[in-house]
Amino acid sequence: MEEGEACDDCECEIARLPEELLSAAISLTAPRDAFRAAAVSRAFRAAADSDAVWASFLPRDLPDLADGELSPAPASKKELFLRLSDGPYLLSDRLMVRSIL
């Protein structure tokens, strides 16, 4: 790869790492960094979009959501994170107001 060329998927050595390893590294960053990593290549996008990454960004003490609050139910941890970041939601015993971003 010549100087100044963009990394395109597996042409970069780091993109050849196993997805689980990339996901583990990205999960140690912040949500904004995960979005940025997803723009690097398809390999990084797959790792950055994994449930393992987005579960690490959710509050550990997150109680169950009130019935029907998120309808339809989020398909992934990333979608859950984004929807919870969108505004306050009713939880089984209280209103969640704080931002998780």
Side-chain angles (χ1 to χ4, degrees):
M1 188 160 59
E2 303 224 356
E3 187 177 331
E5 283 186 24
C7 172
D8 187 22
D9 295 319
C10 292
E11 290 181 19
C12 285
E13 292 298 315
I14 196 165
R16 294 176 54 184
L17 293 171
E19 182 179 322
E20 296 80 21
L21 185 59
L22 291 174
S23 293
I26 294 168
S27 71
L28 298 173
T29 65
R32 182 175 297 175
D33 297 322
F35 283 114
R36 289 177 179 157
V40 172
S41 69
R42 278 183 267 192
F44 272 69
R45 185 177 315 114
D49 286 347
S50 73
D51 274 352
V53 168
W54 291 95
S56 72
F57 300 144
L58 292 170
R60 300 212 189 291
D61 62 344
L62 182 66
D64 293 333
L65 294 170
D67 287 339
E69 184 61 32
L70 293 179
S71 183
S76 67
K77 297 288 185 184
K78 180 179 179 180
E79 185 180 339
L80 174 61
F81 178 89
L82 292 172
R83 289 174 68 183
L84 288 175
S85 298
D86 215 17
Y89 286 93
L90 292 174
L91 304 176
S92 56
D93 61 344
R94 64 186 181 275
L95 179 66
M96 182 175 159
V97 180
R98 71 177 186 186
S99 172
I100 59 174
L101 277 177

